[in-house]
Amino acid sequence: MTETLAIKALCLSFGGQKVLDDVSLSVQPGERLALLGHNGAGKSTLFKTVLGFLRPCSGTVAVAGHAPGSDLAREAVNYLPEVVSFQRNLSGREVLSYFSGLRGTPKAEVSDLLARVGLLEAADRAVGAYSKGMRQRLGLAQALIGTPRLLLLDEPTSGLDPVSRHEFYEVIADAAARGSAVLLSSHGLEEVQDKTDRIAILARGRLTAEGTLAELAHKAGLPTTIRISARPGAADALHGEFGGRRINGCRLALDCAQGAKVDLLARLGRHQDKLRDIDIAPPGLTDIYRHFSRTGPTEDQT
Amino acid sequence: MSTRIGTVFGQELRQARRNLWVILATAVLGLFALALALFGAGQGSGLKVDVLTLTAVSLATLSVYLIPLIALLMSYDSISGEVERGSLALTFATPVRRWEVFVGKFLAQTVAVCVAILIAFGTVGCVIALLSETGQDGIFAWLRLMLTAGGLGAIFVGIGLMVSALTCRTARAAAAAVGVWLLLVVLYDVALLGAIMAAGEGIFATHVFPWLVIANPADAFRLYNLAMIDAAPVAGIDGLAQTLPFPPVAALAALGIWLVATIAIGSARTRRIVP
Ligand SMILES: Nc1ncnc2c1ncn2[C@@H]1O[C@H](COP(=O)(O)OP(=O)(O)O)[C@@H](O)[C@H]1O
Ligand SMILES: [Mg+2]
């Protein structure tokens, strides 16, 4: 067994409502897995199950080979919850010393961690005076105490500006390089692109996709959209010839499967006299994400 | 284990200090003790007991209201507040045991209450002893008062934490803490008085009633302190102090049972919290 986190066929309900349904995934040491999903998809619930706070109805979870919530599992895992506010009248250093004491790690590590997240200067100020970004970084420093084997980060960058976000992911990459397995949740593919090794998409409690971004793009098999603008009076003829959707009086959108792109463009070339412009849009990250998180007409898009 | 309890303890004590709870509690207890001492000094000359004993009696009666209130205020939000802020999830994710968190918080807040009692009552006691003629009985009565007041504080810290762990929501914990205070400190006595009036003299008055009195930690505390002072001028339920069917130590045992029970129930409940 090499996985740091192994989840198999996990099911969990809240009073009859299924929140996690047959979820299986694993994270290896040093690997970063992004868990994507809309609000209410079940991401936080999954984290709380891995921590042993919630009991699954069926399925198994193993943290470094141990049952969730057991002493050994809690030693192996560090956690940053979605929402946390530390006591306002404690300093950043005091907050870290507290968690360091609970984990029984050397106090000397605290200053090093504060430096790693860039809080060394603010270390002795009260947490109440920290900005949102600083509080989040303090939370991350807390999650890095004792070089955890598994790092659970629940929407760690929501509400951060792009620069802070970038720095945040650098610290996470550094933790992974030191051997931690990282499972983090997020709302968007753009955000975790190039920042994580693998991506899993959760929609209404079911895992709808899992793999690298390239694999997901391939599996989605989404069409490339070609938009053409017709010369005056030629739109109807083009519509008749190629089908597609009319955007307005003179523009047309054609969906085109991955393999048929060249062929379609060649055909379009034969109608050069009727065309004014061509615009090619390959499927974007948002499209891929929406493809996998679409679960039905009543989906929760909040 | 001990370092983890110590970590929770240290953090909690630091907060009690920063939130000015200790200072506030000390000031309130000190001022009331001083007021009662002045009152006792005013009437003490006419009675055969010294001022310190007299003040111990009236302070025992007042402490029944004040100390539970202070202890509950200090503790009711300790767990529910952390559940709401999300910081308890962080604590519970570490290798610390749930009961260690409960016990660490309990010890820290008990120490905070006891320090307040020690400074306030200790100072006032010394002042009275130095300024008036004081015998050994008076000093013992005062020491007993301070010790049992600490015990009473510990029990209500335990009750407050238990309520906090049972409700897990600050608003509900606050309501429950007020309810507990009213019930144990005010309504219980009223109900008992009503019952003894209705029952008159008989088996209930001699055999059931005394046990009902010490079943309540606040009453047990007061009864013990008054029963140990022969000359205590007492009325109402406390008249029982002179005709107890059991030794006053039984009241201390009742306090001990409360202490163990609140810690046991609170720790057990803390294990079941979903943070
Ligand atoms: N304690 C709870 N009791 C009942 N339902 C809950 C509870 N916690 C979460 N849920 C429900 O579980 C679903 C998943 O929630 P959550 O895991 O918080 O989603 P996410 O973190 O992906 O936004 C939601 O529909 C939510 O309403
Ligand atoms: Mg969530």
Side-chain angles (χ1 to χ4, degrees):
Chain A
M1 163 118 60
T2 57
E3 301 110 339
T4 308
L5 174 66
I7 299 175
K8 292 203 181 72
L10 181 68
C11 294
L12 191 141
S13 313
F14 281 123
Q17 184 208 354
K18 242 183 182 169
V19 175
L20 292 176
D21 188 4
D22 196 23
V23 173
S24 298
L25 53 84
S26 65
V27 193
Q28 316 288 330
E31 185 185 38
R32 293 162 299 167
L33 175 64
L35 186 66
L36 300 189
H38 294 307
N39 285 334
K43 305 181 297 292
S44 299
T45 304
L46 183 73
F47 285 125
K48 286 181 186 170
T49 313
V50 173
L51 287 161
F53 295 164
L54 297 171
R55 297 249 162 276
C57 308
S58 65
T60 59
V61 178
V63 179
H66 307 289
S70 64
D71 287 351
L72 289 171
R74 278 181 296 145
E75 269 167 36
V77 57
N78 280 18
Y79 173 51
L80 176 60
E82 198 171 351
V83 211
V84 61
S85 51
F86 300 105
Q87 278 288 336
R88 300 174 59 84
N89 55 8
L90 294 173
S91 73
R93 192 186 299 279
E94 281 166 344
V95 168
L96 286 195
S97 301
Y98 169 70
F99 289 106
S100 165
L102 293 183
R103 293 197 174 273
T105 53
K107 288 271 187 294
E109 189 196 25
V110 167
S111 288
D112 174 46
L113 284 174
L114 285 164
R116 260 166 82 189
V117 299
L119 280 179
L120 206 48
E121 270 163 44
D124 297 305
R125 267 190 270 150
V127 175
Y130 280 20
S131 68
K132 159 100 189 167
M134 288 162 83
R135 280 200 300 269
Q136 204 68 11
R137 277 184 280 155
L138 181 63
L140 181 62
Q142 170 279 138
L144 296 175
I145 288 173
T147 320
R149 295 176 63 188
L150 175 62
L151 202 46
L152 296 180
L153 308 170
D154 197 354
E155 294 186 26
T157 57
S158 67
L160 294 188
D161 62 80
V163 175
S164 312
R165 198 173 278 188
H166 182 75
E167 288 167 0
F168 215 89
Y169 278 110
E170 278 181 355
V171 179
I172 293 173
D174 178 49
R178 294 175 193 226
S180 299
V182 181
L183 176 60
L184 64 88
S185 69
S186 171
H187 274 305
L189 258 183
E190 303 80 17
E191 192 190 315
V192 297
Q193 180 190 21
D194 305 327
K195 302 287 198 314
T196 56
D197 306 306
R198 263 189 317 134
I199 290 157
I201 298 177
L202 200 59
R204 296 180 130 219
R206 298 188 71 96
L207 215 54
T208 49
E210 200 251 282
T212 62
L213 190 53
E215 284 166 0
L216 293 195
H218 180 76
K219 201 155 36 167
L222 291 176
T224 296
T225 303
I226 296 174
R227 291 190 199 86
I228 51 180
S229 301
R231 287 185 189 281
D236 287 334
L238 283 172
H239 194 186
E241 171 80 20
F242 292 99
R245 303 183 303 276
R246 284 294 277 271
I247 298 169
N248 56 30
C250 63
R251 295 190 73 202
L252 198 59
L254 306 174
D255 284 341
C256 163
Q258 208 59 22
K261 209 158 44 184
V262 176
D263 191 39
L264 180 65
L265 286 174
R267 277 172 59 211
L268 278 169
R270 274 178 250 131
H271 296 270
Q272 200 178 359
D273 52 325
K274 300 195 187 91
L275 291 170
R276 208 178 54 194
D277 193 14
I278 295 186
D279 174 37
I280 303 175
L285 295 173
T286 313
D287 301 313
I288 297 172
Y289 179 41
R290 285 187 43 191
H291 172 80
F292 285 113
S293 50
R294 200 170 45 225
T295 50
T298 57
E299 83 183 283
D300 175 3
Q301 287 266 11
T302 43
Chain B
M1 166 200 120
S2 56
T3 62
R4 292 192 300 245
I5 293 185
T7 303
V8 177
F9 175 85
Q11 187 85 335
E12 207 64 34
L13 199 58
R14 193 175 292 133
Q15 267 167 37
R17 229 176 48 219
R18 297 238 170 113
N19 292 335
L20 305 183
W21 265 120
V22 182
I23 293 176
L24 197 67
T26 309
V28 169
L29 290 174
L31 284 177
F32 274 102
L34 203 60
L36 291 178
L38 290 176
F39 184 70
Q43 63 170 186
S45 48
L47 293 160
K48 62 179 181 352
V49 291
D50 57 29
V51 179
L52 197 58
T53 311
L54 212 56
T55 312
V57 170
S58 48
L59 197 51
T61 307
L62 186 70
S63 296
V64 163
Y65 295 91
L66 273 187
I67 289 177
L69 192 64
I70 289 170
L72 286 172
L73 282 177
M74 206 180 276
S75 58
Y76 84 90
D77 193 29
S78 188
I79 291 172
S80 52
E82 282 212 54
V83 170
E84 288 193 349
R85 278 198 307 275
S87 51
L88 203 62
L90 278 175
T91 300
F92 284 177
T94 72
V96 73
R97 306 267 161 81
R98 303 270 180 114
W99 69 266
E100 292 172 339
V101 174
F102 189 89
V103 170
K105 281 177 180 286
F106 167 79
L107 290 177
Q109 287 168 5
T110 297
V111 164
V113 174
C114 287
V115 164
I117 291 172
L118 195 69
I119 297 175
F121 289 6
T123 313
V124 174
C126 287
V127 169
I128 300 173
L130 290 176
L131 294 184
S132 69
E133 224 167 282
T134 303
Q136 203 182 8
D137 286 352
I139 293 174
F140 279 141
W142 197 263
L143 288 178
R144 267 198 308 273
L145 173 71
M146 281 174 49
L147 272 178
T148 48
L152 186 66
I155 288 171
F156 276 88
V157 164
I159 292 176
L161 284 174
M162 184 178 78
V163 161
S164 202
L166 282 168
T167 55
C168 284
R169 287 287 171 271
T170 293
R172 270 187 272 156
V178 171
V180 164
W181 186 81
L182 275 178
L183 187 73
L184 289 182
V185 175
V186 183
L187 298 178
Y188 194 84
D189 283 8
V190 174
L192 275 192
L193 270 181
I196 193 86
M197 300 274 221
E201 304 211 339
I203 289 285
F204 178 78
T206 55
H207 286 90
V208 182
F209 180 68
W211 294 104
L212 285 178
V213 172
I214 65 163
N216 178 339
D219 284 332
F221 160 81
R222 185 172 51 201
L223 199 64
Y224 173 77
N225 277 288
L226 298 185
M228 295 297 286
I229 300 171
D230 296 333
V234 288
I237 286 185
D238 304 329
L240 179 67
Q242 268 121 24
T243 58
L244 279 184
F246 42 72
V249 180
L252 287 189
L255 290 181
I257 292 172
W258 268 93
L259 197 58
V260 173
T262 49
I263 295 174
I265 296 172
S267 301
R269 175 57 215 175
T270 307
R271 283 173 63 94
R272 310 244 310 267
I273 292 176
V274 177

